[in-house]
RNA sequence: GGUCCUGUGGCCGAGUGGCUAGGCAGAGCUCUGCAAAAGCUCCCACAGCGGUUCGAAUCCGCUCGGGACCUCCA
């Protein structure tokens, strides 16, 4: 609990790191913008979910009871405001000859599957937009009553100009309201708005719309910002601690959320806005409009022209953790392959560490080494508390790797560090590697039968080696390698194996 | 065009006034029947030009390059 007071997070709203203090002591409310399930998730989507998964895990590690709300946008927003009276989901449903909800279900399932591959924890609540139409309508009503929204031709718009008179519209995204008001766009349907900066709370639905609901303003569907405001308010209250999402949502999505919720609830909704940066490919943001999307299914199977091989979900997770969440992260095969090897090295050492046994009562024969280890371990907490510095923690872990390997190989005696330090290292590594970073073994290896077979093969190979029958010993190792099982001789005559 | 971010060694990426980041790749050595793994050592970078400072990759200015948002977007 001591760490709770030293956590600092970068708040996009103030543009600086702030000491984190939850509204309700011991509790944290966190809302993260979830996926629009009108298509498959891609590598770019993986970043926020893994980033905020680590935030979620870390807050819990600090002793907070966290309510983590991550929505599913299944209501389909219009393609481009006012231009096409057609929502994404209904459009694609026609193409694929599926019911809208069937399509939504398909991609929701796929998304859940991918999240499971990444070993992300499930959110506390995963509300859907279609399940909260009533709440959204109620919220819009309140905004109209307050005088900050108006109805126009069956649609409802938020009055940005009026809001800006008394509120700081544009602060989060660094927008200047006058400039926004000047922006003139020749868009169809724009005449419904009093001002081009206004945004839709409710859109009247053209007859071809499949997803449509009855409202006080006629048949239509909710605007694309209101669902988050409505669901966050419902499950986290008028004011809550953390709102997360990608930086590309800063404007207009999150800016609009602030405006809506502020009018409706008479308070700014969010204490800490946290935004992750983009994953780029060849220096360019990954996104549909750039035609450079690598879907998660493709990433895991290697089936994409940009990919020279398949990448395991844990490799991707590790790759993302190796950079700071607020920096752009550039995808390349080289970088992913480096991550793959790095993760293997780290994980191997991690497993070796857990198998080390301390000498009871040992106080450590190498004080310098002991101090170094303790310093590296202490910094885990320090770095995480400094705006979730996962990359720096990993760097420290890699500094521990040679120490661990040397102990395993007997180059350094286990007793070089005290029993207490070793125990702490084992525990601290476990907490960070598994509990906070959410990493797990890449290969699902060991079942009992395979283990039995391997024990047998190892025994035969040992015998052969003793007899200098290297033909047999090499045959065993080489044939296993062909099957994807690596067998390694170790110092002291032992052998270890792993499924690659 | 406006707003903002950014430019680190072969590649990826931390860091941010003085102290080796780290990973991957590469070179050498040790260990080893061979191999793999592992250990040790080397490769010591911060776009360019000025300025501030005892001292700058880190602060300021300019130049050049890259990017994000301003429209759906993680």
């Amino acid at each position: 609990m001591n760490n709770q007071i030293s956590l600092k997070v970068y708040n996009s709203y103030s543009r600086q790191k702030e000491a984190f203090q939850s509204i309700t002591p011991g509790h944290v409310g966190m809302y993260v913008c979830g996926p629009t399930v009108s298509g498959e998730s891609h590598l770019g989507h993986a970043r926020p979910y893994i980033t905020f998964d680590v935030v979620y895990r870390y807050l819990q590690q600090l002793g907070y009871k966290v309510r983590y709300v991550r929505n599913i946008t299944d209501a389909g927003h219009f393609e481009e405001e006012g231009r096409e009276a057609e929502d994404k989901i209904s459009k694609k449903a026609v193409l694929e000859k599926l019911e809208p909800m069937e399509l939504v279900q398909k991609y929701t399932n796929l998304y859940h599957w991918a999240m499971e591959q990444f070993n992300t924890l499930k959110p506390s609540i995963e509300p859907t937009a279609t399940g909260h139409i009533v709440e959204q309508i109620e919220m819009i009503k309140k905004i109209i009553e307050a005088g900050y929204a108006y109805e126009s031709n069956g649609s409802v718009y938020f009055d940005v100009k009026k809001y800006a008179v008394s509120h700081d519209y544009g602060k989060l995204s660094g927008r200047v309201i006058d400039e926004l008001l000047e922006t003139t766009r020749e868009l169809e349907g724009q005449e419904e708005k009093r001002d081009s900066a206004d945004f839709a709370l409710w859109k009247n639905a053209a007859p071809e719309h499949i997803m449509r609901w009855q409202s006080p303003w006629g048949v239509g569907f909710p605007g694309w910002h209101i669902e988050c405001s409505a669901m966050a308010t419902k499950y986290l209250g008028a004011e809550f601690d953390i709102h997360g999402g990608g930086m590309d949502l800063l404007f207009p999505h999150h800016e609009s959320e602030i405006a809506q919720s502020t009018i409706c609830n008479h308070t700014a909704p969010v204490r800490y806005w946290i935004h992750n940066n983009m994953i780029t490919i060849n220096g360019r943001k990954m996104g549909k409009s750039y035609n450079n999307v690598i879907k998660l299914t493709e990433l895991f199977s290697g089936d994409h022209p940009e990919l020279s091989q398949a990448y395991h979900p844990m490799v991707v997770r590790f790759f993302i953790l190796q950079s700071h969440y607020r920096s752009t992260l550039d995808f390349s095969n080289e970088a992913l392959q480096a991550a793959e090897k790095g993760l293997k090295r780290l994980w191997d050492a991690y497993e070796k560490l857990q198998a080390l046994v301390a000498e009871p009562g040992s106080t450590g024969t190498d004080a310098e080494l002991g101090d170094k280890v303790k310093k590296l371990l202490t910094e885990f907490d320090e770095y995480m508390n400094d705006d979730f510095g996962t990359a720096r923690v990993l760097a420290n872990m890699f500094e521990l790797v040679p120490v661990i390997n040397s102990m395993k190989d007997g180059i350094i005696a286990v007793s070089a560090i005290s029993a207490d330090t070793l125990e702490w290292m084992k525990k601290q590594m476990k907490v960070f590697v598994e509990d906070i970073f959410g990493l797990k073994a890449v290969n699902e290896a060991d079942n009992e039968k395979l283990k039995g077979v391997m024990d047998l093969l190892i025994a035969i190979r040992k015998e052969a080696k003793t007899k200098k029958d290297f033909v047999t010993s090499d045959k065993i190792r080489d044939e296993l390698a062909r099957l994807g099982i690596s067998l390694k001789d170790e110092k002291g005559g032992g052998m270890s194996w792993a499924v690659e």
Side-chain angles (χ1 to χ4, degrees), chain A residues 59-157:
Chain A
L59 289 169
Q60 291 187 110
Q61 191 59 41
L62 292 181
Y64 287 109
K65 189 153 177 18
V66 185
R67 179 175 291 169
Y68 174 22
V69 180
R70 190 181 61 202
N71 64 298
I72 298 262
T73 299
D74 59 351
H77 302 119
F78 30 89
E79 294 261 342
E80 203 160 316
E81 192 173 62
R83 183 179 285 174
E84 292 176 39
E86 185 173 60
D87 72 55
K88 278 190 209 169
I89 290 170
S90 69
K91 182 182 177 188
K92 201 148 187 204
V94 171
L95 294 177
E96 298 193 9
K97 298 221 166 33
L98 287 170
E99 274 300 310
M101 285 318 285
E102 185 182 359
L103 191 67
V104 159
Q105 189 66 56
K106 173 183 161 188
Y107 288 122
T108 300
N109 291 345
L110 204 51
Y111 163 73
H112 282 150
W113 170 81
M115 290 305 106
E116 216 168 284
Q117 300 305 301
F118 282 133
N119 198 29
T120 59
L121 299 176
K122 291 185 169 70
S124 327
I125 303 176
E126 194 171 52
T128 60
T130 54
H132 296 75
I133 299 293
V134 172
E135 286 83 351
Q136 294 178 70
I137 289 173
E138 287 308 306
M139 194 160 191
I140 295 168
K141 278 194 203 162
K142 276 196 198 168
I143 298 170
I144 294 175
E145 276 165 31
Y148 283 88
Y150 55 91
E151 188 186 344
S152 173
N153 193 29
S155 296
V156 180
Y157 292 96

Side-chain angles (χ1 to χ4, degrees), chain A residues 190-210:
Chain A
Q190 203 73 325
E191 66 277 2
E192 286 184 357
K193 296 185 188 179
R194 287 183 193 163
D195 197 286
S196 60
D198 293 350
F199 56 87
L201 295 171
W202 186 265
K203 285 289 282 184
N204 99 50
E208 63 268 28
H209 263 266
I210 298 172

Side-chain angles (χ1 to χ4, degrees), chain A residues 84-309:
Chain A
E84 292 176 39
E86 185 173 60
D87 72 55
K88 278 190 209 169
I89 290 170
S90 69
K91 182 182 177 188
K92 201 148 187 204
V94 171
L95 294 177
E96 298 193 9
K97 298 221 166 33
L98 287 170
E99 274 300 310
M101 285 318 285
E102 185 182 359
L103 191 67
V104 159
Q105 189 66 56
K106 173 183 161 188
Y107 288 122
T108 300
N109 291 345
L110 204 51
Y111 163 73
H112 282 150
W113 170 81
M115 290 305 106
E116 216 168 284
Q117 300 305 301
F118 282 133
N119 198 29
T120 59
L121 299 176
K122 291 185 169 70
S124 327
I125 303 176
E126 194 171 52
T128 60
T130 54
H132 296 75
I133 299 293
V134 172
E135 286 83 351
Q136 294 178 70
I137 289 173
E138 287 308 306
M139 194 160 191
I140 295 168
K141 278 194 203 162
K142 276 196 198 168
I143 298 170
I144 294 175
E145 276 165 31
Y148 283 88
Y150 55 91
E151 188 186 344
S152 173
N153 193 29
S155 296
V156 180
Y157 292 96
F158 189 89
D159 191 337
V160 170
K161 206 182 213 168
K162 179 171 181 184
Y163 176 81
V165 171
S166 49
H167 298 83
D168 205 350
Y169 187 80
K171 180 172 177 193
L172 177 69
S173 56
R175 252 3 76 144
V176 180
I177 183 72
D178 292 337
E179 283 167 5
L180 284 173
L181 296 176
E182 274 170 23
T183 317
T184 32
R185 281 177 163 272
E186 295 300 324
L187 294 176
E188 218 180 297
Q190 203 73 325
E191 66 277 2
E192 286 184 357
K193 296 185 188 179
R194 287 183 193 163
D195 197 286
S196 60
D198 293 350
F199 56 87
L201 295 171
W202 186 265
K203 285 289 282 184
N204 99 50
E208 63 268 28
H209 263 266
I210 298 172
M211 285 197 162
R212 53 204 285 139
W213 293 267
Q214 190 58 246
S215 81
W217 318 284
V219 176
F221 56 93
W224 70 289
H225 313 301
I226 196 74
E227 66 172 89
C228 290
S229 289
M231 297 190 289
T233 303
K234 177 166 184 176
Y235 297 114
L236 298 173
E239 193 188 12
F240 56 97
D241 298 295
I242 295 173
H243 190 125
M247 274 184 189
D248 49 353
L249 295 180
L250 229 32
F251 187 88
H253 187 55
H254 291 158
E255 197 71 71
S256 302
E257 265 189 71
I258 292 176
Q260 294 163 350
S261 295
T262 301
I263 292 305
C264 185
N265 300 326
H266 314 292
T267 174
V270 176
R271 282 290 255 293
Y272 305 92
W273 284 93
I274 302 180
H275 291 93
N276 63 275
N277 214 319
M278 304 292 101
I279 287 183
T280 59
I281 176 162
N282 299 320
R284 177 146 260 136
K285 172 184 169 182
M286 190 173 288
K288 269 180 201 155
S289 28
Y290 296 114
N291 255 319
N292 60 356
V293 164
I294 299 175
K295 292 173 186 163
L296 293 177
T297 47
E298 295 167 337
L299 192 65
F300 299 161
S301 69
D303 185 20
H304 188 282
E306 288 281 348
L307 299 174
S308 60
Q309 63 167 88

